[in-house]
Amino acid sequence: QVQLVESGGGSVQAGGSLRLSCAASGYTYSNRYMGWFRQAPGKEREGVAVLGTGDGRTYYADSVKDRFTISRDNVRNTLYLQMNNLKPEDTAMYYCAADCWGSTRTVATMAANYWGQGTQVTVSS
């Protein structure tokens, strides 16, 4: 059974940083994507960043490029999202996801088969 448990959310002022963590268990597939998604109130869930579990390549939504970094610790089986220069429009519930699918050319439109419970990120101006 796949379990994804996020942590690290919180409230920060614009320009600040947060690091989200996702402890993964039961997910043994290789050559797939793991990633982070977010959903703001009244909006659809969108992809933020994904990482290939086979080759380690990373892909980002245009809205977060050069500000967010996705990474993975294979020993701890943990996925991270380092978020810098946060903006009020980054406010959302952030979800860890496994077995992501779709086009990496448009990360925002990707989807996934497994989800964590989410962690809230709030950025004030």
Side-chain angles (χ1 to χ4, degrees):
Q1 182 179 0
V2 177
Q3 287 192 329
L4 304 170
V5 181
E6 303 98 333
S7 61
S11 297
V12 295
Q13 290 190 330
S17 299
L18 283 173
R19 188 176 82 155
L20 306 183
S21 300
C22 171
S25 62
Y27 184 68
T28 59
Y29 296 106
S30 60
N31 297 320
R32 301 286 181 93
Y33 292 105
M34 293 188 70
W36 291 93
F37 290 68
R38 68 186 181 187
Q39 187 168 19
K43 295 187 177 181
E44 293 188 355
R45 190 177 298 185
E46 63 176 2
V48 173
V50 297
L51 179 150
T53 58
D55 59 12
R57 294 185 70 175
T58 59
Y59 304 87
Y60 298 90
D62 289 343
S63 59
V64 305
K65 278 180 182 176
D66 301 323
R67 298 189 299 122
F68 290 11
T69 302
I70 187 173
S71 61
R72 184 184 184 193
D73 184 329
N74 291 327
V75 174
R76 292 182 172 83
N77 222 14
T78 301
L79 189 72
Y80 300 100
L81 184 68
Q82 177 66 44
M83 305 184 294
N84 297 329
N85 191 21
L86 282 159
K87 303 176 180 181
E89 51 264 42
D90 295 317
T91 295
M93 185 71 78
Y94 283 71
Y95 298 90
C96 177
D99 206 19
C100 306
W101 53 271
S103 173
T104 55
R105 294 181 181 180
T106 54
V107 172
T109 65
M110 293 185 73
N113 293 327
Y114 301 100
W115 301 94
Q117 83 287 352
T119 185
Q120 177 68 36
V121 172
T122 302
V123 185
S124 59
S125 58

